[in-house]
């Protein structure tokens, strides 16, 4: 009985709304009927507003889902982005750095200062830095006058550009599916939070339609997903997403090789993430991710990723504390965010902000310096599977790493939009039709009545006059 009453009341309210103007035009309408009609209109308008408001809130907050789907077993597979980063080797820093340090001393190589050499290494290799080493090595020489060498006071970015590894001094040979390609054409340099790295197919220093974007699609029918990198110096090889940057504080699928003649093989597994076109219509706050081209304000990077966002966030905290930032947090210099000199690095050390760990930066930590960074919408799931024991080839001076997909992916993740803007238009139109009797035709009639009809009535009245 209760549901029958509600149904009859709803139908009567709708009928009242539809014929409301007819009721009001009737001068013989009883006061009670007019009052009941007004109550129906108010209830209909309130119900219409409430449902539309709920739908708009749910449209974004519950409009995205992630499903797991199978892909064709013979589908072409894209080999992921690879970064090759130069590693610190205290025995082979290079003769250029030795000459530079010796030139600071009045007695040259006879009183070579290893403390300054190590300080330069900490600046050039940010991942190698640990708290307190800059003050511990540089403060003792600040007041020694002209009789001793002092730590370089500024232009640390210039030191990396001058003494850091270049492509020809790092790579010997590269190949994909046992087919060689030009390393230095496709591995492009980039200053990263980890240090100086060379990235293959990265959105941070390249574009997909450029001549330097390597065609890394693998056809499983006749190609094997293996990349070989032969280097002259110690390196760290990381498997990344296209929008990521190597970062010392974030977990990365990586492998290192240090000693001349060393040979290693490394296997990984990847599951891709794709997005339906409708996902872009939903704001990042509700879909809980950002696309690579949705850059945040004051970023120093060309593409958004969680790693680049964390670097930007640390840079902002450094600016707030010391009015400068570590040069490694910006690929290119910006006048708005000056690089720290020696005094700036000492200020960062006093605040423990030179090399900030990721855990205190997370939003739920109790730190005073946290970051709110969303993941990337195109972030693939990359996992390490196997790393062989290091083997040494007698007499060899080069270093070689074989990077291989352990298995070709057979599934992938898909982020899909449960509702589109067209769905919103249809649903809101249905709500308006249910409660107010409104439709597309009634909307057109409304426009017609106050435009063409009004103009015809005015013109007819003038003719009659």
């Amino acid at each position: 009985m209760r549901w029958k009453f509600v149904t009859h009341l709803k139908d009567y309210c709708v009928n009242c709304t539809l014929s409301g103007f007819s009721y009001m035009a009737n001068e013989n309408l009883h006061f009670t009927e007019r009052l009941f009609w007004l109550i129906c209109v108010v209830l209909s308008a309130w119900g219409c507003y409430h449902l539309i408001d709920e739908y708009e809130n749910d449209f974004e907050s519950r409009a995205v889902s992630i499903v797991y789907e199978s892909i064709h077993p013979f589908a072409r597979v894209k080999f992921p982005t690879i970064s090759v980063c130069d590693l610190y080797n205290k025995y082979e820093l290079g003769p250029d750095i030795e000459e530079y340090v010796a030139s600071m001393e009045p007695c040259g190589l006879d009183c070579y200062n290893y403390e300054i050499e190590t300080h330069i290494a900490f600046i050039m290799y940010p991942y190698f830095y640990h708290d307190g080493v800059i003050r511990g090595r540089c403060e003792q020489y600040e007041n020694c006058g002209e009789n001793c060498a002092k730590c370089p006071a500024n232009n640390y970015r210039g030191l990396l550009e001058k003494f850091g590894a270049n492509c020809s001094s790092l790579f010997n040979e590269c190949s994909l599916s046992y087919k060689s390609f030009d390393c230095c054409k496709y591995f492009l340099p980039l200053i990263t939070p980890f240090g100086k790295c060379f990235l293959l197919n990265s959105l941070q220093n390249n574009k997909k339609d450029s001549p330097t974007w390597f065609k890394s699609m693998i056809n499983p029918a006749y190609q094997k997903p293996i990349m070989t990198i032969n280097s002259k110096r110690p390196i760290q090889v990381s498997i990344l997403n296209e929008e990521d940057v190597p970062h010392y504080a974030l977990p990365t699928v990586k492998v290192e090789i240090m000693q001349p003649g060393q040979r290693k093989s490394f296997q990984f597994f990847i599951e891709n993430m794709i997005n339906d076109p409708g996902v872009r219509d939903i704001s990042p706050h509700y879909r809980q991710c950002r696309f690579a081209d949705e850059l945040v304000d004051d970023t120093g990077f060309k593409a958004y990723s969680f790693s680049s966002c964390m670097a930007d966030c640390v840079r902002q905290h450094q600016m707030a504390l010391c009015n400068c930032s570590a040069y490694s947090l910006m690929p290119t210099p910006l006048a708005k965010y000056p690089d720290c000199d020696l005094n700036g690095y000492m200020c960062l050390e006093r605040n423990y902000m030179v090399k900030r760990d990721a855990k205190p930066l997370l939003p739920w930590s109790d730190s005073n310096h946290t970051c709110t960074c969303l993941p990337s919408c195109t972030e693939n799931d990359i996992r390490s599977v196997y790393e062989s024991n290091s083997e040494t080839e007698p007499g060899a001076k080069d270093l070689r790493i074989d990077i291989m997909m352990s298995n070709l992916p057979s599934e992938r993740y898909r982020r899909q939009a449960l509702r589109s803007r067209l769905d919103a238009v249809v649903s809101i139109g249905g709500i308006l039709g249910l409660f107010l009797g409104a439709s597309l035709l009634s909307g057109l009639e409304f426009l017609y009545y106050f435009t063409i009809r009004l103009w015809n009535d005015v013109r007819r009245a003038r003719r009659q006059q």
Side-chain angles (χ1 to χ4, degrees), residues 17-19 21 48 428-451 453:
T17 306
L18 289 170
S19 55
F21 288 105
C48 182
I428 291 174
I431 294 172
L432 292 173
L434 173 65
F435 284 94
L436 303 178
S439 66
L440 180 61
L441 289 178
S442 61
L444 294 176
E445 288 177 358
F446 182 82
L447 293 175
Y448 165 78
Y449 186 83
F450 286 101
T451 55
R453 177 67 179 274

Side-chain angles (χ1 to χ4, degrees), residues 41 96 231 386 430:
V41 170
D96 294 339
S231 73
Y386 169 77

Side-chain angles (χ1 to χ4, degrees), residues 173-178 181 183 226-230 400-403:
E173 187 181 1
C174 304
S175 67
L176 178 63
S177 298
Y178 305 111
F181 63 90
C183 304
I226 181 172
M227 179 175 288
T228 300
I229 298 175
N230 191 295
R400 191 182 68 207
I401 299 179
D402 295 324
I403 308 158

Side-chain angles (χ1 to χ4, degrees), residues 10-21 37-52 427-443 445-446:
K10 180 192 71 174
D11 293 339
Y12 191 72
C13 284
V14 171
N15 291 330
C16 287
T17 306
L18 289 170
S19 55
F21 288 105
W37 173 83
L38 181 61
I39 293 174
C40 286
V41 170
V42 172
L43 289 176
S44 298
W46 178 83
C48 182
Y49 170 80
H50 179 71
L51 280 183
I52 292 176
S427 298
I428 291 174
I431 294 172
L432 292 173
L434 173 65
F435 284 94
L436 303 178
S439 66
L440 180 61
L441 289 178
S442 61
E445 288 177 358
F446 182 82

